[in-house]
Amino acid sequence: MTYEPLAYRIAFASLKGVTATLAGEILSRIDSEQAFFEAKSATLGSVMGFRSRIFDDDYRAALLDKAAREVDFIAAHNIKCLYFSEDDYPARLADCEDAPLMLFVTGDCDLNRRHTLGIVGTRHATPYGIAFTERLVTTLAEELEEPPVIVSGLAFGIDIAAHRAALAANIPTVAVLAHGLNTIYPAQHRQTAARIVKSGGAIMTEYSSADAVHKGNFVARNRIVAGICDALLVSESAEKGGALITARLAADYGRDVFALPGRISDKFSAGCNRLISNNEAALVTTPDDIVKAMGWTSKPKASTQQTLFNELSEEESAVVDFLTRKGEAQIGQISIALNQSTGKLLALLIDMEFKGLIIAYPGAKYRLA
């Protein structure tokens, strides 16, 4: 019996323990996925030079039968299949040795977009972690020329906060599932999942609709979150948890890892604090920490600000010029440089703050807005 080409690929991707490297080796000796399934086990053993359970006739027949049923599900639900040897497979993930051979995706997000940021954390997120996650995503969306795709796992806590923040900021977000696309877990996040797809994001998984859901899937899912990103942020985590596993995987893949610190008494900051103290993650306190570390480009100053600069008084222009050169300065430094009394300068600086030209910081420091 002959099956559709996609069925052979799905079945081939389901072979237990087969990595992209081994898959490439097999296909270099066997003409195609179809030829692999049509060959006898003895032939495969002879061609490959070793014996393996994955060559057993009954095992391969069962995989192919299951894959044929999956093809019908895929066609009925408009699902895209991204195969490891094709150009549309996520390039970052393709560099990871243990990446899945096949991804099932619904949604139109460009998975090879220039910037991608994974955000993970505890399911028991506190207002502290959620607020930082939301502020981070909002700031990246507003201030970067090319905001990143936000990737997470659709779980309770930090994951869902990251997805919803991306939706609110109108930037794409990708949810990586630990089960097939025939369901959404947790069920409470179905509406968010639908919004992700409708808003230019994507839902993706390595599992077929017939695969059983078990605990190990969630750990395996973490490698996709880690591998598909340029960088990973752990917003909150206890001493143990999936977020820490994802962070270690990301580091192993050569990704930049960041963590939000918390008080030593906070249970759900203990994991982040340990990542930072062990130099396994860079400390993050503001969105700018990630922007600078990643070398991402911010938007140019707003034209309204430039209009204000064009209307500056002589004294205001002198302050702007000085802060442009210095980056930031204390009021005493500005007073000496511009030869103005502190009282008169303070009044000028207050007026410039109201105009949105400068920002005052603790320690009587000033920077351009």
Side-chain angles (χ1 to χ4, degrees):
M1 180 178 179
T2 302
Y3 297 87
E4 292 186 33
L6 179 58
Y8 291 108
R9 284 189 164 188
I10 293 173
F12 189 75
S14 302
L15 292 168
K16 189 173 182 62
V18 175
T19 64
T21 299
L22 179 55
E25 180 66 19
I26 293 173
L27 293 175
S28 72
R29 301 187 187 192
I30 307 294
D31 289 342
S32 65
E33 292 86 357
Q34 180 174 345
F36 174 85
F37 283 96
E38 292 178 347
K40 295 297 183 181
S41 60
T43 302
L44 292 174
S46 176
V47 171
M48 295 305 300
F50 61 88
R51 294 179 59 83
S52 173
R53 286 290 304 277
I54 67 172
F55 299 157
D56 288 356
D57 294 336
D58 290 344
Y59 174 70
R60 288 181 295 133
L63 288 183
L64 194 53
D65 183 60
K66 175 185 171 185
R69 294 193 300 271
E70 190 66 16
V71 169
D72 294 334
F73 175 81
I74 287 166
H77 295 85
N78 194 31
I79 293 169
K80 291 183 289 188
C81 297
L82 306 183
Y83 195 54
F84 80 105
S85 62
E86 297 297 320
D87 291 340
D88 56 356
Y89 189 88
R92 298 174 182 86
L93 192 58
D95 289 335
C96 304
E97 174 60 26
D98 57 352
L101 302 187
M102 179 74 81
L103 292 169
F104 303 102
V105 181
T106 180
D108 296 321
C109 184
D110 178 7
L111 300 175
N112 288 313
R113 191 158 157 155
R114 186 175 180 186
H115 304 317
T116 308
L117 176 66
I119 301 178
V120 296
T122 178
R123 285 169 167 75
H124 307 285
T126 70
Y128 169 70
I130 292 173
F132 180 81
T133 299
E134 292 173 343
R135 180 163 65 91
L136 171 76
V137 174
T138 300
T139 301
L140 295 179
E142 291 176 348
E143 297 187 359
L144 291 182
E145 282 191 346
E146 297 182 60
V149 174
I150 302 300
V151 180
S152 199
L154 203 70
F156 288 113
I158 293 298
D159 286 22
I160 197 64
H163 290 306
R164 288 172 175 165
L167 290 170
N170 294 315
I171 61 175
T173 182
V174 173
V176 184
L177 306 183
H179 48 75
L181 293 175
N182 57 316
T183 188
I184 292 295
Y185 177 84
Q188 294 93 321
H189 296 165
R190 285 180 180 273
Q191 186 176 5
T192 299
R195 288 179 59 206
I196 287 173
V197 174
K198 292 178 182 178
S199 302
I203 307 294
M204 64 186 299
T205 182
E206 65 179 302
Y207 299 103
S208 74
S209 62
D211 287 329
V213 180
H214 57 80
K215 188 176 181 180
N217 292 9
F218 293 89
V219 177
R221 178 267 306 276
N222 293 339
R223 80 191 194 287
I224 299 177
V225 175
I228 205 169
C229 298
D230 296 310
L232 182 85
L233 168 69
V234 183
S235 283
E236 279 189 311
S237 177
E239 281 283 357
K240 296 181 179 180
L244 298 185
I245 295 173
T246 309
R248 294 190 187 99
L249 288 166
D252 289 343
Y253 294 150
R255 309 301 190 249
D256 289 89
V257 180
F258 302 92
L260 175 68
R263 294 178 300 185
I264 59 173
S265 58
D266 290 348
K267 175 181 178 181
F268 294 109
S269 288
C272 291
N273 291 341
R274 183 154 56 86
L275 286 173
I276 295 167
S277 65
N278 291 344
N279 293 318
E280 295 175 299
L283 182 149
V284 169
T285 58
T286 69
D288 197 47
D289 292 333
I290 293 180
V291 173
K292 287 182 178 179
M294 298 305 298
W296 291 343
T297 304
S298 298
K299 292 178 182 176
K301 296 293 183 179
S303 59
T304 53
Q305 185 184 53
Q306 187 60 51
T307 299
L308 285 170
F309 283 175
N310 293 337
E311 298 173 354
L312 298 180
S313 68
E314 184 176 343
E315 292 83 1
E316 290 170 337
S317 293
V319 173
V320 168
D321 290 343
F322 181 72
L323 292 178
T324 299
R325 294 193 306 272
K326 295 294 185 180
E328 71 173 24
Q330 293 179 315
I331 188 170
Q333 295 172 310
I334 302 174
S335 175
I336 293 171
L338 303 186
N339 194 26
Q340 285 199 21
S341 67
T342 302
K344 182 179 179 181
L345 178 60
L346 181 59
L348 176 65
L349 294 175
I350 291 173
D351 287 342
M352 293 179 71
E353 273 194 85
F354 275 108
K355 290 181 179 181
L357 297 171
I358 60 173
I359 299 175
Y361 289 87
K365 293 181 179 179
Y366 293 85
R367 299 177 191 169
L368 293 177

